[in-house]
Amino acid sequence: MASASSRRTRGLVVGGGIVVLAAAGVGVWSWTRSSDNGTVCSTLRGDSRIQGVLGASYRSDMPCGDLGRALREAATGDRPGAHSKQQARAARTTLEAVGDALGKSGEKDVDDSLRMPLAELMADYVPDTHEILKELDADYVTHLSDGEPWEDRSGVHMTVPNDVLLRVMRSVSASPSAYAVLRNAEGQYAAHTMARIPRTAKGFDLSTPVVGNALAFGALDGIASDVTARLSGQEAAKWNRAVVGALGSAAPEKIPDFKADPADYISATWAKGLNDTTRTDSAAFRSQGAEYLSIWAQGRADGFKPPSKLTEDCLNGQSRKSEEATRSLRAG
């Protein structure tokens, strides 16, 4: 788990990244299906769980955009990455309700006005979504049964089933800017995970966080694959370019020094490499976990060379998780 200080740092980074990515996404939404009264939004308005989350702010005639923003605010509050149990409960309930609404309607995408608010909500919970996507932390399995948020030294946490999170993430990713928010949040968090690895780490202490990052990236690869598979060739190319452009625009102009900010060094170095691609199924994306390991090793500048087996495990793990996510989304 992340330390309390790293959660605060991560929250500030992700919060700023959302603003940049949302701005970068302006102009790429027009080709996606736009609706303010679609099946999912209507279903959510009539869901008693959603009414409970919003309380006095709920209205049965809320425009879809207002509904999305109200749900985001109920779950995230005013401090990025820091949550009360009530907010975490709101996040969990919202994700479950959206997942159920998608299942009932048979829709793959939520209404256009819901996409960015829900993406921002999930990005604010990236320490939790990271663990849910990679499926290695026993706490997240244990707390599925009681359905309640819990608190430890790193803060308050919530969990939902892996297939529910995948379905909701997929549903907002019809918007390339919303997908970029999710990918950026995971990229920033994974970079902080790398930065916390001690230089002396070996064995599981080294491989667990590194391969865990690759697994989470793989799940996001699977989501991108499902989105583009359902678009025409021209629309898929446009979606891909928009995602790559949004992620590239969020990177700082100058890569920071590794010693001063190892996490930003890792994420910025990777993002700069996107200048050579226009596709989310390129090697830059599909090997992001292994690339983070390589960039971290280079930044250390102490002669450390990643074990070839660990690099191979990252590549294989990311590929496997992508295939698992794609199968789950097709089945759902």
Side-chain angles (χ1 to χ4, degrees):
M1 288 293 182
S3 67
S5 62
S6 67
R7 276 175 59 83
R8 286 193 293 272
T9 301
R10 194 278 316 157
L12 293 173
V13 169
V14 172
I18 288 173
V19 174
V20 173
L21 288 163
V26 173
V28 300
W29 289 48
S30 60
W31 59 273
T32 60
R33 180 178 64 83
S34 180
S35 170
D36 199 43
N37 279 294
T39 303
V40 174
C41 197
S42 297
T43 300
L44 289 176
R45 277 193 290 253
D47 192 318
S48 60
R49 293 172 295 179
I50 294 300
Q51 297 172 27
V53 166
L54 297 183
S57 66
Y58 169 79
R59 301 193 319 274
S60 60
D61 61 347
M62 293 180 79
C64 197
D66 290 351
L67 177 64
R69 287 185 290 273
L71 290 171
R72 178 194 63 206
E73 290 167 7
T76 60
D78 58 0
R79 290 192 300 149
H83 310 113
S84 66
K85 286 190 176 181
Q86 181 178 350
Q87 290 165 346
R89 191 175 294 112
R92 184 209 68 217
T93 301
T94 296
L95 295 178
E96 290 177 341
V98 174
D100 288 346
L102 289 163
K104 290 178 182 177
S105 67
E107 294 279 353
K108 280 284 187 178
D109 307 338
V110 294
D111 308 87
D112 182 72
S113 298
L114 285 175
R115 293 171 190 167
M116 187 57 77
L118 290 177
E120 291 169 348
L121 185 161
M122 289 184 281
D124 204 59
Y125 282 83
V126 68
D128 297 322
T129 62
H130 174 84
E131 298 297 340
I132 297 168
L133 290 177
K134 69 187 184 72
E135 297 184 288
L136 292 180
D137 192 316
D139 282 346
Y140 285 81
V141 177
T142 300
H143 287 284
L144 270 178
S145 59
D146 60 40
E148 284 297 314
W150 72 100
E151 187 171 6
D152 59 23
R153 288 180 298 176
S154 65
V156 174
H157 306 280
M158 67 87 199
T159 188
V160 295
N162 175 269
D163 61 337
V164 171
L165 182 63
L166 284 173
R167 189 182 309 134
V168 178
M169 283 188 162
R170 162 63 182 87
S171 74
V172 306
S173 294
S175 161
S177 46
Y179 178 81
V181 163
L182 297 176
R183 189 92 192 199
N184 182 65
E186 176 56 42
Q188 296 281 356
Y189 185 74
H192 280 281
T193 299
M194 295 294 304
R196 292 194 299 272
I197 299 174
R199 287 175 178 253
T200 56
K202 297 179 180 178
F204 288 114
D205 290 338
L206 174 61
S207 64
T208 298
V210 172
V211 176
N213 287 344
L215 293 174
F217 287 134
L220 290 168
D221 289 341
I223 290 170
S225 293
D226 194 72
V227 171
T228 55
R230 298 170 188 276
L231 298 173
S232 69
Q234 184 176 6
E235 287 179 331
K238 189 174 182 180
W239 187 92
N240 275 302
R241 288 194 301 271
V243 169
V244 173
L247 290 171
S249 70
E253 291 186 9
K254 182 180 179 181
I255 297 175
D257 181 72
F258 180 85
K259 291 182 179 180
D261 196 334
D264 277 1
Y265 171 88
I266 294 167
S267 58
T269 300
W270 178 82
K272 290 296 185 183
L274 296 181
N275 292 334
D276 299 325
T277 188
T278 59
R279 299 179 61 88
T280 57
D281 60 357
S282 66
F285 283 87
R286 294 304 177 100
S287 64
Q288 190 172 358
E291 285 295 314
Y292 268 37
L293 173 61
S294 176
I295 294 167
W296 175 71
Q298 293 170 6
R300 288 173 50 160
D302 59 0
F304 172 78
K305 294 183 179 180
S308 58
K309 177 64 165 56
L310 182 54
T311 298
E312 183 180 347
D313 287 346
C314 286
L315 294 171
N316 291 340
Q318 185 164 343
S319 176
R320 173 175 57 82
K321 203 64 175 177
S322 175
E323 293 172 358
E324 289 178 2
T326 301
R327 285 196 298 270
S328 176
L329 290 167
R330 288 174 180 170

